[in-house]
Every structure is written in C-alpha cells, then in structure tokens.
Amino acid sequence: MVKALENLYSIDHSEAGDHSLETWVLDCKEGVVLIDGGMRETAVENIGKELKSIGKGWGDVKLILVTHKHGDHVKNLPRLVELTGAPVKAEEHEAPLIEAAVGVKVGKLKHGQVLSFCGGVEVIHVPGHSEGNACYYLRKLKALIAGDTIFGDPQGALTPPPERYCLDVKQATKEIRRLLDYDFDYMLITHGKDIMGDAKERVEKLVEMHC
Ligand SMILES: [Zn+2]
C-alpha cells in the first residue's frame, strides 16, 4: 500500500496488462473509509492485508464510498459489505444504479454534502462519465479523489475520460471545470498517475486545452 498523504493510502489492484485500478483508504479518527472496491477477489485480499499493515481490520471500516457504477469500482461491494458491515454511499443519481448492478443497499449523497471524516469529505457531482459520477474532496488534505473523472496517460499527461468509457463524453469533458471551484494540491485518479503537487494548475491546463 502506498501512503499518498497523511491518513490517505492507495492500494493498487492492477494486474499485468491492466489499467491501474485502486482502492483508497482514509484512516480517520472517526474510523476507516474505503473509496471504491475493485473488481477481483484478489482486490478484497489486498485490502484486508493492507488494512492489517496499518494496524486495522475489517471492523474498523465505517464507510464505503463509491465514485461511480462501473464494474471495476463496484463488483466487490457485496463481499466488502459482508466483511465490514459498513454502509455504502454514492452520489444520489448513481446510488440506485449501483444497487441494481450489485445488489447491495447504497445510500444517497448530494452534491456539496460534507461527510464528517478526516476533517470533512465533500461530495462533488461531476456527471458525464456516468450519471452520478462523483469526486470526493478531502478538505483538510486539499486532495481530490477524482476516480474516473480525469484519466492519465502513461507519461503522466491528464486527459478527459475516453469516449468509449463515458455515458456522455461531451458532458464529462465540459464538467471537469467544476473541479476548479475547489482548492486542491493533490489529485488521485483511478486510471493513471496520481498528481502529488500543483494538481489544480494541471487541471486548469487540461480545461484550457480540452473543455
Ligand atoms: Zn468508469
């Protein structure tokens, strides 16, 4: 597990030939939060092992947040709910779609809602990649968990999500602008290299070029 920032860890589930694929772990005084759950059984094993490495267990997980409904982010939810007993939450447009896809109860979050973990986790609705695609803004860390809202190529350049993965690529591209309303230095993305400094400037450049 990679420690991205204080209290924030990234677990890479990718296997040979994959896009990168992560679960993020927020280790807060209020409890552990998992963000996205991967798709293979090995990802569940990874999460269990990595929690142990920071002295935590499944019972310490108090919340599972999901960025969006795509299989590589949600397939493990039933198993993770079984192991942790934690509630699963996603943006309100996405929650019913995830429920329908994997059969677990998913609570609804509103754009702008702030969850009281690790100094505040704010929900940002960025539609287009999917109906209720969300980013999570970690206020205290000035970090953005962007999921699939932005992709990175192997050289580290940022791009809008590719059309073949989007519900509406025009909307997905245009709505990236919303992220510029937030003050962030770091940005963690699912498919690509994380941006560990000056992330907002990188997103400003991306918006200038594409949006
Ligand atoms: Zn996706």
Side-chain angles (χ1 to χ4, degrees), residues 8-57:
L8 175 63
Y9 302 85
S10 172
I11 305 174
D12 183 7
H13 303 308
S14 60
E15 295 178 9
D18 282 359
H19 266 308
S20 57
L21 175 62
E22 287 97 23
T23 290
W24 293 285
V25 177
L26 261 178
D27 181 17
C28 313
K29 69 175 183 332
E30 299 85 0
V32 170
V33 181
L34 301 180
I35 306 176
D36 288 350
M39 62 177 172
R40 297 191 188 91
E41 252 178 69
T42 49
V44 176
E45 289 162 23
N46 285 344
I47 298 168
K49 211 166 54 193
E50 301 292 9
L51 286 175
K52 216 180 226 174
S53 77
I54 55 167
K56 306 286 174 178

Side-chain angles (χ1 to χ4, degrees), residues 68 70 72-73 129 148 151 165 191:
H68 68 294
H70 292 159
D72 50 343
H73 302 253
H129 181 62
D148 286 9
F151 274 54
Y165 300 129
H191 308 299

Side-chain angles (χ1 to χ4, degrees), residues 3 25 40 51 64 80-81 117 123 136 164-165 177 181:
K3 183 171 189 170
V25 177
R40 297 191 188 91
L51 286 175
I64 301 170
L80 291 173
V81 167
F117 283 88
V123 181
Y136 296 104
R164 65 184 179 282
Y165 300 129
R177 261 178 208 288
D181 293 343

Side-chain angles (χ1 to χ4, degrees), residues 56-181:
K56 306 286 174 178
W58 292 117
D60 295 307
V61 176
K62 299 301 173 206
L63 177 63
I64 301 170
L65 293 174
V66 186
T67 58
H68 68 294
K69 67 180 182 183
H70 292 159
D72 50 343
H73 302 253
V74 303
K75 273 195 185 147
N76 283 329
L77 289 175
R79 184 73 184 124
L80 291 173
V81 167
E82 217 172 79
L83 288 163
T84 63
V88 178
K89 292 186 182 177
E91 197 278 338
E92 59 186 337
H93 298 81
E94 203 78 344
L97 304 174
I98 297 169
E99 276 192 9
V102 296
V104 296
K105 196 174 163 8
V106 182
K108 291 180 178 176
L109 299 171
K110 285 192 185 305
H111 174 73
Q113 191 173 338
V114 182
L115 305 162
S116 53
F117 283 88
C118 278
V121 177
E122 184 167 349
V123 181
I124 311 174
H125 181 206
V126 189
H129 181 62
S130 65
E131 293 84 339
N133 176 72
C135 297
Y136 296 104
Y137 176 51
L138 313 176
R139 285 179 162 182
K140 206 170 146 194
L141 294 176
K142 290 194 174 181
L144 199 62
I145 305 285
D148 286 9
T149 307
I150 291 177
F151 274 54
D153 70 15
Q155 285 71 43
L158 298 177
T159 66
E163 181 167 12
R164 65 184 179 282
Y165 300 129
C166 288
L167 174 72
D168 179 343
V169 72
K170 278 198 183 131
Q171 187 185 33
T173 303
K174 191 180 78 176
E175 295 291 353
I176 291 172
R177 261 178 208 288
R178 284 193 191 197
L179 302 180
L180 299 179
D181 293 343

